[in-house]
Amino acid sequence: MIDAAHEAGVVLQTGHHLRSSPLVATAKRLIDEGRIGRITYMRLRQAHDWGGAAQVRGAFGSLAASGGGTLLDNGCHMMDLARNFGGDVQTVFGLMDTLKYDIEVEDTSVVTLRFESGALGSVENAWTATGWEESFAVYGTLGALECSNRLGKARLRFANREGGDTGWADLDESWYEFNGNDSGHRRGVVAFVRSIVEGTPVTCTGEDGRESVRLVLAAYESARSGQTVRLSLD
């Protein structure tokens, strides 16, 4: 698809909607502005239980039809978010299992990342989590960014010690909240159309999409072998 788009001179955008979420976009801006310093660690999580269904819906549980379970389904978005926040990944170590449903693919997974920058990260995905959760936390040498919908409407918290030494838990903080419940799907489509009509850069390139899948496949390889997998950046 990447080659075909280049050859045809057309716009290709990968549908990683979280890049267009105002919460993610705000976090990305704060990171790029250096507000949290050098990233040291991040935790990314997307998990649900299929709305309480007794079985995984549709063909999601079939390896032949889906190619993978929660790591591919949910984890591809988290892997893209990891790269969006932290840059290229150097190594991947994955653990996963099928712990709830009678299916051919994994329903629970945890993947540890080491970025080229030296930062560490954890990508957690599950179809075995009661309810629905989408969250991220990015920690740096000067501050932290935290966002979750687990306990209510998602808001972004920027915590820091710009006021000096304030104790273990008493931090300076700013909260970012947006109207509506836009996870980025609509904004992503609008951005795609604008790229076609106005020539603006796409929010997530075909190359970005390929890299998120490459990280997922490396995690599958790691889980099969029990070894850390190093990614080539060729």
Side-chain angles (χ1 to χ4, degrees):
M1 292 175 67
I2 294 169
D3 291 342
H6 283 315
E7 292 171 5
V10 297
V11 177
L12 173 62
Q13 176 175 303
T14 304
H16 285 305
H17 60 285
L18 292 176
R19 288 201 184 210
S20 299
S21 160
L23 295 165
V24 169
T26 301
K28 174 65 171 171
R29 174 177 60 81
L30 292 171
I31 291 170
D32 290 345
E33 290 175 354
R35 299 293 299 280
I36 69 168
R38 176 174 53 84
I39 294 175
T40 57
Y41 176 70
M42 71 177 71
R43 184 180 67 248
L44 311 169
R45 182 180 297 148
Q46 192 178 82
H48 62 82
D49 63 348
W50 288 99
Q55 186 55 276
V56 169
R57 294 174 182 166
F60 279 91
S62 165
L63 181 60
S66 298
T70 185
L71 176 59
L72 184 59
D73 176 35
N74 306 110
C76 67
H77 298 301
M78 298 296 100
M79 293 299 187
D80 180 70
L81 199 57
R83 292 188 65 252
N84 185 41
F85 287 153
D88 287 325
V89 174
Q90 183 183 84
T91 62
V92 172
F93 180 76
L95 292 172
M96 60 198 71
D97 211 331
T98 308
L99 301 173
K100 178 179 179 179
Y101 297 105
D102 182 17
I103 52 178
E104 299 174 341
V105 296
E106 80 286 349
D107 59 18
T108 310
S109 68
V110 178
V111 180
T112 301
L113 310 176
R114 180 181 290 277
F115 294 84
E116 287 287 335
S117 67
L120 302 178
S122 175
V123 172
E124 305 165 8
N125 298 112
W127 292 341
T128 57
T130 302
W132 164 250
E133 180 176 7
E134 190 169 77
S135 63
F136 63 83
V138 186
Y139 304 100
T141 54
L142 298 177
L145 296 163
E146 299 160 302
C147 181
S148 176
N149 66 353
R150 188 62 173 173
L151 301 178
K153 181 181 178 180
R155 298 188 297 162
L156 176 66
R157 177 182 184 241
F158 168 41
N160 62 80
R161 294 189 185 277
E162 293 178 350
D165 185 358
T166 54
W168 286 98
D170 297 326
L171 303 174
D172 298 322
E173 58 182 21
S174 301
W175 289 88
Y176 298 84
E177 184 172 347
F178 296 88
N179 291 327
N181 187 28
D182 185 2
S183 63
H185 289 93
R186 179 178 57 82
R187 291 172 185 258
V189 172
V190 171
F192 179 48
V193 173
R194 184 172 292 123
S195 297
I196 296 171
V197 176
E198 302 175 8
T200 57
V202 296
T203 57
C204 188
T205 67
E207 288 81 359
D208 289 324
R210 179 182 61 195
E211 288 306 298
S212 68
V213 174
R214 198 157 73 107
L215 290 175
V216 168
L217 295 179
Y220 282 135
E221 180 184 344
S222 173
R224 286 192 296 267
S225 68
Q227 302 295 317
T228 297
V229 172
R230 178 177 290 272
L231 283 89
S232 168
L233 296 180
D234 294 340

